[in-house]
Amino acid sequence: MSASASSFSSVPAPPMRWDGWGDPDRETVLSDAMLGLIRDALGVRGDARSRHTPDDVVVPDCRLTDDDLAELTGIVGEDHVSRAPVDRLLRAAGRSTPDLLRRRATTQSAPDAVVVPGSTDEVAAVVAWCADADVAVVTYGGGTAVTGGLAPLAGGHRAVISLDMRRFDGLVDLDEVSRIAALGAGVTGPRAEELLAEHGLSLGHFPQSFRYATVGGFAVTRSSGQASAGYGRFDEMVVGLTLVTPRGVLRLGPVERSAAGPDLRQLVLGSEGTFGVVTEVSLRVHPVPEAVVAQAWRLPDFASGAAAVRTVARSDARPTVLRMSDEAETAVNLASPGAIGADGSPGGCLVITRFEGTERDCADRRARVADLLTEAGATDLGPEPAQAWAHGRFDAPYLRDALLAIGVGCETVETATTWSGVVSLRTAVSDALTTALGSDDGPFAASPAMVLCHISHTYATAASLYFTVVYRLDERDAVGQWEAAKEAASRAIVDHRATITHHHAIGTDHRAHLAAEIGDLGVQVLRAVKATLDPSGVMNPGKLIP
Amino acid sequence: MSASASSFSSVPAPPMRWDGWGDPDRETVLSDAMLGLIRDALGVRGDARSRHTPDDVVVPDCRLTDDDLAELTGIVGEDHVSRAPVDRLLRAAGRSTPDLLRRRATTQSAPDAVVVPGSTDEVAAVVAWCADADVAVVTYGGGTAVTGGLAPLAGGHRAVISLDMRRFDGLVDLDEVSRIAALGAGVTGPRAEELLAEHGLSLGHFPQSFRYATVGGFAVTRSSGQASAGYGRFDEMVVGLTLVTPRGVLRLGPVERSAAGPDLRQLVLGSEGTFGVVTEVSLRVHPVPEAVVAQAWRLPDFASGAAAVRTVARSDARPTVLRMSDEAETAVNLASPGAIGADGSPGGCLVITRFEGTERDCADRRARVADLLTEAGATDLGPEPAQAWAHGRFDAPYLRDALLAIGVGCETVETATTWSGVVSLRTAVSDALTTALGSDDGPFAASPAMVLCHISHTYATAASLYFTVVYRLDERDAVGQWEAAKEAASRAIVDHRATITHHHAIGTDHRAHLAAEIGDLGVQVLRAVKATLDPSGVMNPGKLIP
């Protein structure tokens, strides 16, 4: 069955480009300087390949019967179920580089139907039906997953549906005194800010996926945004959750802290749809900040820079945004996207800070951070580099699309470790990637690799490391080529007792490494929780739990 | 078998008074003013009853055989096992008021033996032996539990041992760069500060139980200390844990934050010994503060005071300690312990703050808090009331012993709720206690009740409420009298969707109310986790999980 026939579509399409990032009408054109750099460094010619349209792709026949569809339609209504190939295809993948490379195939797997429920009760009925009917459920939010969480795996069940949460798009409840907002799981980042701004409030969660990703996705993947130093990780914002499981509804919260046994919210956070479907999330919100102050600095090198950032992260003057690029990333960051590859880096490591709050607080914290960084040897670069970063901060994935089109691989690896391990782990992961991609011992053609790194999330005892890798695709097996490099990076992470993922979740891609982190006994605990909430195993099989 | 025969003791006694709080040599003498107040308000005469010694008490025969004892001795060594009645009796209870009232009986239940392991491997061997031999395990730290967590319940197994963690008393590891200290589970509050101070570091966890309670107890009860506004709750300090279960050892952490699935540390925190034994905890530590600034204020009444404290709690200038007493507690707090009952309260609600950090930070934060509170109508009371509070902050339980001795009940109830519910919940709990204790409809003699309340733990969206209740004991069934009052307070808490405990844990006393908070499905999740880690159910049966 061809995925063409868009006319069969009966539910709205996700808003994002089907085989790449973001706005389908937006094209990123690479500058001549950048093309030159890529030609020199990677030896690619720079000719862009043509893209498929969904019409070019064949998906397997739907394994659900007419009776199945009738029953699902009976729960959510006729307008909210589709087995049109195009609807299924559009929800068949997330946005990792392997996901996008797989979009080049002319035959692709896909969920057997798309179901778009409108209430917690409807989700409960759909999930109960699926458990009974031996049909797997992949919950779909913004489609921005990068570790395989959206792969349409039936996991031995007779079919798999995509449960699209787009209709959970409202502000369910607002307690202005307590500053708690209950949002539907399908609310996107911009929609959350829009709903809250009507009340002078803000959530403050700005991951790179902000424009498309949803509250439910943020929760089940333990997302962390660029302002995490100021407003916390998403899991720290959550005070309550509604989880619909095949065994019933679990409602947790909304009291922020308690000693009433283990904190079960922390089991739902990070559960990636494997225990059930999060339909509603109660979140700590704050007033829209009255002032924003941006400020950039340069530190001489990664090791001294990491030490300086550590001091700032632990201070009471902590910025709302605090990030530091290594030397290689600094060279790219300081240029505008059009000028990447041109000369313009001052060298060293770029530190971006941003302060949000009252005028007085921002000025005060900025001054105190300036003292700390100056003492650590920093040079003041003024606000411009920090403003430029803020301007382009959600756009990197567009650049990746342009690179992939000309045969350049571009993917990220992220982790976190204790402060004492930050420098050695950066070296180990960077070396692992460079060595793996540069080797011609294996089945893949050797490629030089550019590895950029930054620290973007800081804690009292730990920090994240985020690597961007640019290399020449081996078009014979581009997915396999990356998987080999990723495996090398993952081994370096595990060997350092760092976490396999700081904010991208486990999905399919990190699943083999979870036991190294939580032990076999930890895995057995997750399996026991799953068996209790999802005894038939229909909830997002093949993800998270080994 | 009499618990006398102290000569049979083969393991060191816990350092605390066996039937009351703290230092056995310390006596709190009630002032004439206080005695007068109590006589007037409660109608008690003030004659002190005599106390039992352990020699007066009979405990049941030990249900373990000589072979059992030989096997335990084989694991931990001869000096570390005891079935001496006195050793068993001393570990038979925590320090709630009902626990102390039950100490008046001449026959008391007790664990069948005391085992004092010296390593994680020994704990693993003991726990495995117990699971195999059908013997329950109650882990014993400082003996300060106040919700029944130490009750020597065999839970249908053939015997129960007390596993005393006192030998886990060292600094296991210190990462000074990351500021992570791994401490043995038996390390007490003062011992932790002493071990860390050698490195210029501090933990900053100061609950009322500080002098006796242990790191392991803090972890498994989700303890929260008086400086939680500055250094966080204990669960927020934990970055790693070692949990020994009958199914093996679970090692979690030490990376502070991760997206690698659900946070299993948050399942161990609050598990109250029902999943296994915590032997080691890795904790975030900080430098010993160079400055401490204390400052007190008065706010007109509880409602306006709570609103002012909320504003301060959300500000960047947040104090390290932030607490506010209601009008009734203010009258008591402002007097020195010897002057309780004397006139000396300025009226209104006392706010205590304390700032710890650098000289500059403390001065700056104090000034900003002064601005916020002044704007809210606060009167500056200077540092003295805050210093007086700090001086006596661990001593309230001594006062309780003196009151109980003259027939005056004194117990606490604590909870937390969202800020919007703080005022109404205070009224509801206070009314419930006053009504329940004052009623002569039931089996107990009516007593006037003094209910004091304070906010001592604050969050962006929520705050704790801590009630102290003083009333006349009905000596015919003093335990039953309190249980009826407690049940009334608990119902008020549950009806308000507040948490049944903010920092005292579930134990036996809150167990009936846990399902109201996490749902039947939440209870099933806890049972499933327990069945995985402790399939024979020997770990602290009858606690936490309904």
Side-chain angles (χ1 to χ4, degrees):
Chain A
M1 190 184 291
S2 163
S4 72
S6 317
S7 55
F8 292 165
S9 171
S10 59
V11 297
M16 218 190 310
R17 178 189 284 274
W18 85 284
D19 63 344
W21 187 260
D23 181 354
D25 295 328
R26 177 168 165 171
E27 284 292 348
T28 297
V29 177
L30 299 174
S31 67
D32 287 345
M34 181 141 185
L35 281 171
L37 175 76
I38 285 164
R39 273 193 210 103
D40 293 348
L42 303 180
V44 297
R45 292 199 321 190
D47 302 332
R49 58 184 292 154
S50 62
R51 279 173 143 165
H52 285 156
T53 69
D55 291 352
D56 302 326
V57 177
V58 175
V59 298
D61 289 345
C62 171
R63 290 168 289 187
L64 293 170
T65 65
D66 289 346
D67 284 352
D68 292 332
L69 271 288
E71 292 186 32
L72 288 168
T73 300
I75 297 169
V76 297
E78 242 178 65
D79 295 344
H80 303 303
V81 178
S82 173
R83 58 179 153 182
V86 66
D87 293 330
R88 296 161 51 206
L89 180 66
L90 296 186
R91 291 166 179 86
R95 294 300 185 280
S96 70
T97 293
D99 286 335
L100 302 187
L101 292 170
R102 288 188 199 101
R103 286 304 206 184
R104 297 176 170 181
T106 50
T107 302
Q108 296 179 25
S109 63
D112 293 282
V114 176
V115 178
V116 193
S119 69
T120 292
D121 285 350
E122 287 184 7
V123 172
V126 169
V127 158
W129 181 86
C130 286
D132 194 51
D134 192 34
V135 172
V137 180
V138 179
T139 306
Y140 188 90
T144 62
V146 290
T147 56
L150 295 175
L153 306 179
H157 302 285
R158 70 180 174 95
V160 53
I161 63 163
S162 174
L163 195 75
D164 187 323
M165 298 298 287
R166 63 188 303 141
R167 293 170 69 199
F168 288 75
D169 63 349
L171 178 65
V172 180
D173 191 33
L174 178 65
D175 175 347
E176 295 199 60
V177 172
S178 307
R179 290 193 187 150
I180 297 173
L183 292 168
V187 169
T188 63
R191 174 82 175 141
E193 292 300 332
E194 177 187 273
L195 288 165
L196 293 168
E198 289 174 25
H199 304 273
L201 297 168
S202 169
L203 179 58
H205 186 65
F206 304 109
Q208 197 173 64
S209 61
F210 170 73
R211 290 186 183 134
Y212 296 92
T214 60
V215 160
F218 295 148
V220 300
T221 60
R222 292 185 170 269
S223 172
S224 191
Q226 293 160 352
S228 67
Y231 304 122
R233 297 166 57 87
F234 195 79
D235 50 25
E236 295 171 316
M237 300 175 183
V238 171
V239 298
L241 286 153
T242 300
L243 178 77
V244 177
T245 80
R247 293 283 313 286
V249 180
L250 189 59
R251 289 192 174 82
L252 301 168
V255 183
E256 191 169 332
R257 292 289 180 265
S258 163
D263 189 345
L264 298 182
R265 292 173 294 204
Q266 300 289 335
L267 268 184
V268 178
L269 294 164
S271 61
E272 303 186 27
T274 64
F275 297 158
V277 181
V278 170
T279 59
E280 195 181 308
V281 185
S282 289
L283 293 154
R284 174 183 84 196
V285 295
H286 59 267
V288 172
E290 73 182 45
V292 175
V293 171
Q295 172 67 46
W297 279 275
R298 187 180 72 82
L299 280 152
D301 56 54
F302 187 78
S304 66
V309 164
R310 187 174 75 221
T311 303
V312 171
R314 287 169 173 166
S315 78
D316 286 327
R318 191 159 66 158
T320 310
V321 173
L322 174 60
R323 44 195 297 135
M324 185 190 75
S325 297
D326 71 356
E327 294 87 343
E329 194 177 274
T330 296
V332 175
N333 261 345
L334 278 182
S336 67
I340 288 175
D343 194 25
S345 165
C349 291
L350 175 67
V351 176
I352 299 286
T353 62
R354 192 178 157 96
F355 303 87
E356 299 184 3
T358 64
E359 298 276 2
R360 175 179 164 176
D361 272 353
C362 289
D364 181 65
R365 284 153 64 210
R366 188 204 159 286
R368 291 200 283 167
V369 168
D371 286 352
L372 292 171
L373 288 178
T374 303
E375 196 173 326
T379 310
D380 186 329
L381 297 180
E384 291 77 13
Q387 289 160 347
W389 167 81
H391 182 73
R393 63 183 171 153
F394 302 127
D395 292 341
Y398 285 108
L399 182 60
R400 176 180 58 170
D401 286 349
L403 291 171
L404 287 178
I406 60 167
V408 175
C410 178
E411 183 55 311
T412 63
V413 170
E414 47 84 46
T415 178
T417 192
T418 54
W419 279 113
S420 58
V422 162
V423 172
S424 61
L425 180 60
R426 168 175 166 263
T427 303
V429 172
S430 187
D431 287 353
L433 289 165
T434 308
T435 303
L437 288 163
S439 163
D440 54 7
D441 288 350
F444 307 107
S447 162
M450 294 165 54
V451 181
L452 322 176
C453 178
H454 64 245
I455 291 173
S456 47
H457 303 272
T458 55
Y459 309 97
T461 65
S464 69
L465 287 174
Y466 189 96
F467 300 86
T468 303
V469 194
V470 181
Y471 61 99
R472 187 177 60 234
L473 291 176
D474 182 339
E475 303 277 5
R476 296 167 303 172
D477 181 8
V479 170
Q481 180 194 20
W482 173 251
E483 283 174 347
K486 170 81 175 175
E487 178 60 19
S490 296
R491 278 182 199 282
I493 289 167
V494 168
D495 288 347
H496 275 67
R497 290 194 62 212
T499 181
I500 195 68
T501 172
H502 169 266
H503 60 268
H504 282 171
I506 296 290
T508 52
D509 299 4
H510 294 138
R511 194 165 160 244
H513 297 288
L514 185 60
E517 193 155 335
I518 63 172
D520 288 335
L521 205 50
V523 171
Q524 289 178 48
V525 168
L526 293 181
R527 285 187 190 141
V529 173
K530 183 169 174 71
T532 301
L533 299 176
D534 173 29
S536 53
V538 293
M539 300 310 303
N540 214 11
K543 321 293 167 62
L544 176 60
I545 306 172
Chain B
M1 189 184 289
S2 163
S4 70
S6 316
S7 53
F8 291 167
S9 171
S10 58
V11 295
M16 219 191 306
R17 177 188 283 275
W18 84 285
D19 63 343
W21 187 260
D23 180 354
D25 296 328
R26 177 168 165 172
E27 285 291 348
T28 296
V29 178
L30 299 173
S31 68
D32 287 345
M34 180 142 187
L35 281 171
L37 175 77
I38 286 164
R39 275 192 208 101
D40 292 348
L42 303 180
V44 298
R45 293 200 319 193
D47 302 331
R49 59 184 291 155
S50 62
R51 279 172 143 165
H52 284 156
T53 68
D55 292 350
D56 302 325
V57 177
V58 174
V59 298
D61 289 344
C62 171
R63 292 168 289 187
L64 293 169
T65 65
D66 289 346
D67 285 350
D68 292 332
L69 272 287
E71 292 187 31
L72 288 168
T73 300
I75 298 169
V76 297
E78 242 178 64
D79 295 344
H80 304 302
V81 178
S82 173
R83 57 179 155 183
V86 65
D87 293 330
R88 297 161 51 207
L89 180 66
L90 295 187
R91 291 165 179 86
R95 293 300 184 279
S96 71
T97 294
D99 286 335
L100 302 186
L101 293 170
R102 289 188 198 101
R103 286 303 205 184
R104 296 174 172 184
T106 49
T107 302
Q108 297 179 25
S109 61
D112 294 283
V114 176
V115 178
V116 193
S119 68
T120 292
D121 285 350
E122 286 185 7
V123 172
V126 169
V127 159
W129 181 86
C130 287
D132 193 51
D134 192 33
V135 173
V137 180
V138 179
T139 307
Y140 189 90
T144 63
V146 290
T147 56
L150 294 175
L153 306 179
H157 303 283
R158 69 180 175 94
V160 52
I161 63 163
S162 175
L163 195 75
D164 187 322
M165 298 298 288
R166 63 187 305 141
R167 292 170 69 199
F168 288 74
D169 63 349
L171 177 65
V172 179
D173 191 33
L174 178 64
D175 174 348
E176 295 200 61
V177 172
S178 307
R179 290 193 187 151
I180 297 173
L183 292 168
V187 169
T188 63
R191 175 82 175 140
E193 293 299 333
E194 177 187 273
L195 288 165
L196 292 168
E198 289 174 25
H199 305 272
L201 297 167
S202 169
L203 179 59
H205 186 65
F206 304 109
Q208 197 172 64
S209 60
F210 170 75
R211 289 185 183 136
Y212 296 92
T214 60
V215 160
F218 295 149
V220 300
T221 60
R222 292 185 169 270
S223 172
S224 192
Q226 293 160 352
S228 67
Y231 304 121
R233 297 165 57 85
F234 195 80
D235 50 23
E236 295 171 316
M237 300 176 183
V238 172
V239 298
L241 285 154
T242 300
L243 178 77
V244 177
T245 80
R247 291 284 312 288
V249 180
L250 187 59
R251 289 192 173 84
L252 300 169
V255 183
E256 190 170 333
R257 291 290 180 266
S258 163
D263 189 346
L264 298 182
R265 292 172 295 203
Q266 300 289 335
L267 268 184
V268 179
L269 294 164
S271 61
E272 302 186 26
T274 64
F275 298 157
V277 181
V278 170
T279 59
E280 194 182 310
V281 186
S282 289
L283 292 154
R284 175 184 82 197
V285 295
H286 59 267
V288 173
E290 73 182 45
V292 175
V293 171
Q295 172 67 47
W297 279 276
R298 187 180 71 82
L299 280 151
D301 56 54
F302 186 79
S304 66
V309 165
R310 187 174 75 221
T311 303
V312 171
R314 287 170 174 166
S315 78
D316 286 327
R318 190 157 67 159
T320 310
V321 172
L322 174 61
R323 43 195 299 135
M324 185 190 77
S325 297
D326 72 356
E327 294 86 344
E329 193 177 274
T330 295
V332 175
N333 261 346
L334 277 182
S336 67
I340 288 176
D343 195 24
S345 166
C349 291
L350 175 67
V351 176
I352 299 286
T353 62
R354 192 176 158 96
F355 302 87
E356 299 184 3
T358 64
E359 298 276 2
R360 175 180 164 177
D361 271 352
C362 290
D364 181 65
R365 285 153 63 209
R366 188 203 160 286
R368 293 200 282 167
V369 168
D371 286 352
L372 292 171
L373 288 177
T374 304
E375 197 173 325
T379 310
D380 185 330
L381 298 180
E384 291 77 14
Q387 289 160 345
W389 167 81
H391 182 73
R393 63 183 173 153
F394 303 126
D395 292 341
Y398 285 108
L399 182 60
R400 176 180 60 170
D401 286 348
L403 291 171
L404 287 177
I406 60 167
V408 174
C410 178
E411 182 56 312
T412 63
V413 170
E414 47 84 46
T415 178
T417 191
T418 55
W419 279 113
S420 58
V422 161
V423 172
S424 60
L425 179 60
R426 169 176 166 262
T427 303
V429 173
S430 187
D431 287 353
L433 289 165
T434 309
T435 303
L437 289 162
S439 163
D440 54 8
D441 289 350
F444 307 107
S447 162
M450 294 165 53
V451 182
L452 321 176
C453 179
H454 63 245
I455 291 173
S456 45
H457 303 271
T458 55
Y459 309 97
T461 66
S464 69
L465 287 174
Y466 189 97
F467 300 87
T468 303
V469 194
V470 180
Y471 61 99
R472 188 177 59 231
L473 291 176
D474 183 339
E475 303 277 6
R476 296 166 303 171
D477 179 8
V479 170
Q481 179 193 22
W482 173 251
E483 283 174 346
K486 170 82 175 175
E487 178 60 18
S490 296
R491 278 181 199 281
I493 289 167
V494 168
D495 288 349
H496 274 68
R497 291 195 62 214
T499 181
I500 195 67
T501 172
H502 169 266
H503 60 268
H504 281 171
I506 296 291
T508 52
D509 299 5
H510 294 138
R511 194 165 160 245
H513 297 288
L514 185 60
E517 193 155 334
I518 63 171
D520 288 335
L521 205 50
V523 171
Q524 289 177 49
V525 168
L526 293 180
R527 286 187 189 141
V529 173
K530 183 170 174 72
T532 300
L533 298 176
D534 174 29
S536 55
V538 293
M539 300 309 303
N540 215 10
K543 321 293 167 62
L544 176 61
I545 307 172

